[in-house]
Amino acid sequence: MKYSKILKSLSFLLFISFSTNAQEQELTSSSDKRMLPLRVSYYGENGVHPGLRVGTSYLLHEKTKVKIYKRQAKQSKKGSKTKYIQYKLDANLGYYNHPNNHTGVLLGLGVTRHKNKNKKKVSFAWSFEVNYLRRFYNIETFEILEDGSINTINLAGNGGLMFALAPSIERRFGEKGTLLFLKPAFQAVKYNHSNFLNAAVELGVSLNLSK
Amino acid sequence: MKNLSYILFALCFCVVSCSKQESETFDHFFFRSDDADLFVEVNGNISSNTFILLLHGGPGGGGEGYNEGYYVDELEKDYAMVYLDQRGNGASTGDYDKESLTIAQNSRDVYQLTRFLKAKYGDDISLFLAGHSWGGLTTCHALVNTEIQSELKGWIEIDGAHDYILSDIEAIKLFQEFATVEIAAGNNLSFWNPVLETVNAMDTLNITDEDQGYLNSTAFEAEKVLPIADPELADSGPPYNLDSPSLGLAISSANSIGNVILNDDSYTYALTDRLGEITLPSLFLWGKYDLVVPPALGVSAFNLVNTTEKELVIFEASGHSPMSNEPELFVEEVKDFVERYK
């Protein structure tokens, strides 16, 4: 039952993402759309529980906004401001280790809005992610049966959907468009009897391997 | 690609971490009980075949907070200490409903754990159940509501809150007594004068939530101005441990919410009237200056349990935690009791 809910949620997100993509096809360049960068990052659950996250992103839509100042003097002094905005669909797989407790495995999709002004090297982004988080205990789990015998529960753990809102700052390097990014995430995660706020931080790179 | 290799290597290096492994003196595991996965750590002399299952206080504590200091070092030399994080506390987790956050469920969990400990370490082990503060309520509830007495050699209650309502009433009386003496002696008047005024205004037949909060927080403040020992032996260890199984924002948030639920539920059990159902050898350890759970509860429990094999020890220089205030005497009393009945 739980798994069907998760599949439905992920399918819905994919459907929305690709629908949007279909509508905006003409607005984006076909060369950009082919780029599927590899994103590799340190994933720190609560900052200190170390993990690794890999993923890629797919350009859904991009637009450019040019701001021209109404006052001639200001326009000639400062020039036009150009904002480049991109919407990307992200797919990620990751894990982390909480010592003496559990290893978390995350599978997620997200949408990120990247904003860059005047093609500067530093840009900012906001992501909304839906992940399925499965926790596998690092230590053995037992139960006692009615007859008094011990049952060892294999792959014991728990899990659930995790929603995350994550601002990030990115710095572009070199010709290939390699990005270094720092991305703290604020998460709503199923734990025990309800959903609670959690946090994580990612520090990683995005590499354009296809170029 | 070379850069990528370096990055991957560095990230993998970061991710590798160590955790303690099972040994003759250390074991830890999750114990599943009614959809909760309870974190259990067993430290000490496992081969002694004598186990003390210690329930932490709170709600809001965890076994980790008790697994440090002189008294555990000494007890672990001779016995295996079992530290359980009760449901909704510490690193205990699981996929359970909010409705199962009750003292009744916690005591069922404890009973199941005692059965498990016997199945894992041998049916011939000597098992004692100990509870400090709020943990005393869980132990007492388990003793009178489950079959746990048949699994145990003895009960050790350390400043245990087996009757929240009685505890509040006795706390008001004790505050009045101490405040009167201290004011007469001219000690810490700025602290005791307002305390006396506040507790005098409380109605023992109608103690409000606000009163309960005041009594609890002021009881801990009072320990700073009462003649309570604070020996260097009572080392509380490092302030924060990155290897802690209960370190995390979601964990602490969930426990905070769970603790409110458990605290409210704790007020629904006044177990004084049922102490006569306890027939086990019993040891009651109480701090003379415990204003959180006053010694009057230890005295009444000592009088009411249905056994002649019982002892009450009032620690003359202790507050709510005699194991920290007078650890040497505490260890002596526990060892004496365990050796007698194991």
Side-chain angles (χ1 to χ4, degrees):
Chain A
M1 191 63 190
K2 281 181 183 170
Y3 289 104
S4 69
K5 277 185 184 172
I6 293 156
L7 280 174
K8 277 180 192 169
S9 305
L10 292 177
S11 308
F12 178 71
L13 191 63
L14 269 174
F15 172 74
I16 294 293
S17 305
F18 286 112
S19 302
T20 311
N21 177 44
Q23 288 166 7
E24 307 295 344
Q25 195 96 31
E26 290 177 12
L27 300 172
T28 57
S29 70
S30 57
S31 61
D32 279 347
K33 290 181 82 61
R34 279 199 298 272
M35 288 198 303
L36 288 173
L38 173 66
R39 294 166 68 88
V40 185
S41 60
Y42 164 84
Y43 180 85
E45 195 256 359
N46 280 287
V48 295
H49 298 143
L52 187 68
R53 206 176 190 206
V54 293
T56 190
S57 54
Y58 184 83
L59 182 64
L60 297 171
H61 172 57
E62 66 182 344
K63 60 184 178 185
T64 305
K65 280 185 185 173
V66 180
K67 184 176 182 181
I68 299 169
Y69 293 103
K70 286 179 182 170
R71 285 168 53 201
Q72 195 70 37
K74 195 170 183 183
Q75 174 65 25
S76 53
K77 187 180 174 186
K78 291 195 167 184
S80 303
K81 266 190 177 177
T82 311
K83 282 184 190 173
Y84 301 91
I85 295 169
Q86 293 183 319
Y87 292 90
K88 290 180 178 176
L89 174 69
D90 307 318
N92 296 291
L93 179 65
Y95 88 99
Y96 65 87
N97 179 39
H98 183 166
N100 299 311
N101 193 318
H102 70 272
T103 295
V105 178
L106 308 115
L107 176 65
L109 285 176
V111 177
T112 302
R113 179 184 189 270
H114 301 260
K115 188 169 85 175
N116 182 281
K117 282 182 187 170
N118 294 337
K119 290 198 170 176
K120 286 179 182 169
K121 287 184 174 178
V122 175
S123 57
F124 298 91
W126 276 94
S127 304
F128 175 73
E129 296 176 2
V130 180
N131 291 274
Y132 179 70
L133 167 64
R134 176 72 193 172
R135 303 181 187 91
F136 297 97
Y137 301 142
N138 291 339
I139 55 180
E140 282 186 299
T141 303
F142 304 105
E143 64 183 344
I144 186 147
L145 305 176
E146 280 303 311
D147 65 2
S149 62
I150 293 174
N151 180 39
T152 305
I153 303 166
N154 294 317
L155 295 174
N158 55 58
L161 283 181
M162 180 174 77
F163 300 91
L165 195 61
S168 60
I169 182 167
E170 303 167 338
R171 170 75 157 82
R172 200 175 68 246
F173 291 93
E175 294 294 309
K176 287 187 175 179
T178 301
L179 290 174
L180 179 67
F181 64 89
L182 176 66
K183 184 178 173 185
F186 305 96
Q187 306 161 328
V189 60
K190 171 81 172 66
Y191 185 77
N192 291 359
H193 58 280
S194 191
N195 287 288
F196 295 97
L197 183 68
N198 204 34
V201 66
E202 274 185 77
L203 176 63
V205 289
S206 173
L207 302 160
N208 279 323
L209 301 176
S210 57
K211 277 195 173 179
Chain B
M1 281 309 283
K2 194 178 171 185
N3 286 343
L4 179 61
S5 305
Y6 285 137
I7 291 162
L8 285 173
F9 176 79
L11 287 170
C12 289
F13 183 78
C14 291
V15 166
V16 172
S17 62
C18 302
S19 60
K20 284 166 134 182
Q21 299 297 310
E22 186 177 344
S23 71
E24 285 181 7
T25 57
F26 177 79
D27 195 3
H28 61 175
F29 50 84
F30 281 102
F31 173 67
R32 183 162 293 178
S33 171
D34 296 337
D35 298 327
D37 295 321
L38 309 170
F39 186 81
V40 181
E41 193 162 306
V42 183
N43 274 354
N45 192 344
I46 295 172
S47 60
S48 70
N49 275 353
T50 302
F51 288 66
I52 301 174
L53 170 54
L54 176 60
L55 302 193
H56 59 82
E64 197 179 14
Y66 287 74
N67 187 1
E68 58 193 13
Y70 173 86
Y71 81 98
V72 290
D73 290 345
E74 288 301 309
L75 291 175
E76 285 175 7
K77 284 177 187 169
D78 292 337
Y79 316 118
M81 297 293 292
V82 184
Y83 306 95
L84 164 70
D85 287 359
Q86 296 182 66
R87 181 182 294 241
N89 287 258
S92 286
T93 179
D95 202 5
Y96 54 81
D97 296 330
K98 184 179 159 187
E99 286 68 35
S100 76
L101 278 173
T102 63
I103 302 303
Q105 179 62 60
N106 279 15
S107 74
R108 276 196 292 276
D109 294 340
V110 172
Y111 172 51
Q112 292 299 328
L113 180 61
T114 57
R115 289 180 61 225
F116 170 77
L117 290 171
K118 289 206 159 184
K120 182 172 168 64
Y121 296 104
D123 203 37
D124 58 339
I125 64 168
S126 296
L127 184 56
F128 291 81
L129 180 62
H132 173 240
S133 191
W134 176 70
L137 173 62
T138 313
T139 58
C140 188
H141 190 283
L143 289 168
V144 298
N145 287 289
T146 72
E147 302 298 313
I148 201 171
Q149 291 198 53
S150 61
E151 308 286 343
L152 301 172
K153 294 285 186 183
W155 177 37
I156 303 170
E157 191 179 34
I158 309 151
D159 298 75
H162 56 261
D163 191 330
Y164 264 44
I165 297 162
L166 179 63
S167 179
D168 283 344
I169 293 168
E170 292 298 335
I172 291 171
K173 289 183 196 167
L174 202 57
F175 266 118
Q176 288 169 331
E177 182 188 326
F178 286 158
T180 305
V181 171
E182 294 295 307
I183 290 167
N187 295 333
N188 301 295
L189 297 178
S190 60
F191 177 80
W192 288 112
N193 275 325
V195 167
L196 185 59
E197 194 179 325
T198 308
V199 294
N200 278 343
M202 290 180 185
D203 177 3
T204 52
L205 296 176
N206 182 29
I207 298 171
T208 64
D209 290 351
E210 195 184 343
D211 294 339
Q212 289 159 7
Y214 179 85
L215 289 170
N216 192 262
S217 60
T218 312
F220 286 107
E221 282 177 43
E223 294 209 354
K224 296 171 192 163
V225 296
L226 286 167
I228 292 171
D230 187 17
E232 287 182 9
L233 288 172
D235 176 23
S236 61
Y240 234 83
N241 176 10
L242 289 180
D243 280 348
S244 166
S246 58
L247 176 63
L249 187 57
I251 296 175
S252 52
S253 308
N255 289 349
S256 298
I257 301 292
N259 294 333
V260 173
I261 299 167
L262 285 166
N263 198 55
D264 289 346
D265 189 54
S266 299
Y267 270 98
T268 63
Y269 303 98
L271 297 176
T272 299
D273 291 344
R274 297 193 62 190
L275 287 164
E277 296 171 39
I278 296 170
T279 56
L280 280 176
S282 302
L283 173 64
F284 302 97
L285 303 172
W286 242 270
K288 178 181 174 182
Y289 297 105
D290 186 0
L291 286 153
V292 182
V293 185
L297 269 79
V299 174
S300 81
F302 172 79
N303 289 328
L304 291 169
V305 289
N306 189 16
T307 175
T308 54
E309 298 169 315
K310 57 187 177 182
E311 190 179 351
L312 169 67
V313 181
I314 302 291
F315 290 78
E316 293 294 321
S318 288
H320 188 51
S321 301
M323 61 282 205
S324 300
N325 302 132
E326 294 174 84
E328 286 171 311
L329 182 58
F330 179 87
V331 169
E332 196 179 303
E333 294 294 345
V334 171
K335 281 189 175 179
D336 183 51
F337 178 75
V338 170
E339 289 300 317
R340 214 179 315 152
Y341 298 108
K342 74 179 183 184

